[in-house]
Amino acid sequence: MQLRLKSELMALFLVRHAKAGHREFGPLDRERSLSADGHAQAKALVKYLADITVTRLLTSPFARCRQTLAPLAEATGLGLENTFQLSEGAPFEPVLQLLDQLPDGSVLCSHGDLIPDVMQALVRRGLTINGAENWSKGSVWVLERTNGQMTKGSSFRL
């Protein structure tokens, strides 16, 4: 079953980077690239967001996150914004502040250690999660807002 997003959806999109090669330890891990499956997931993101007006693309500076959003950047003509708050190992609080400031249609790409912390903090703030929580590589959280407040979150996998 293919998910169709409504074009009038007032939401932000929090993406865990697509599948990548084997983990490196140390500074080389920042340059770890997507696998063939990961590149397919990155292309699928363009299809899933085709009816959404994408306004900004923010990404961890790690290669696998940048590569996850690259096809969307090409399709929309938007540039990728390196955002250190979305880096692996970063604290979640600055991401919450960032989410509060971004326009609807913003897409953010981050890592598997940060996204669960962000989502748990949003739940503490009153966000309701619809359906199962998905933290897998290539998962997308749709964060709906009402009057500037995050109200609902749901996830799907590319």
Side-chain angles (χ1 to χ4, degrees), residues 10-12 96-104 122 125 127 143-152:
M10 295 178 62
L12 302 173
L96 296 176
Q97 294 171 357
L98 186 62
L99 290 172
D100 286 342
Q101 299 168 5
L102 290 172
D104 292 328
L122 289 173
R125 287 181 162 190
L127 178 100
L143 305 174
E144 296 183 50
R145 298 197 273 206
T146 304
N147 299 324
Q149 190 75 11
M150 299 287 176
T151 54
K152 288 192 270 184

Side-chain angles (χ1 to χ4, degrees), residues 53-108:
T53 300
V54 176
T55 56
R56 288 181 69 184
L57 299 173
L58 295 93
T59 179
S60 160
F62 287 40
R64 56 194 175 273
C65 286
R66 292 183 55 78
Q67 290 173 352
T68 298
L69 294 189
L72 189 57
E74 185 176 328
T76 62
L78 295 172
L80 295 176
E81 301 175 44
N82 282 338
T83 307
F84 290 98
Q85 294 100 317
L86 297 172
S87 296
E88 189 170 57
F92 71 88
E93 293 90 349
V95 178
L96 296 176
Q97 294 171 357
L98 186 62
L99 290 172
D100 286 342
Q101 299 168 5
L102 290 172
D104 292 328
S106 294
V107 180
L108 300 87

Side-chain angles (χ1 to χ4, degrees), residues 31-71:
E31 300 305 318
R32 184 164 39 114
S33 296
L34 295 183
S35 65
D37 287 343
H39 283 288
Q41 287 176 316
K43 289 176 184 170
L45 182 61
V46 176
K47 186 174 12 172
Y48 280 111
L49 297 181
D51 293 335
I52 299 296
T53 300
V54 176
T55 56
R56 288 181 69 184
L57 299 173
L58 295 93
T59 179
S60 160
F62 287 40
R64 56 194 175 273
C65 286
R66 292 183 55 78
Q67 290 173 352
T68 298
L69 294 189

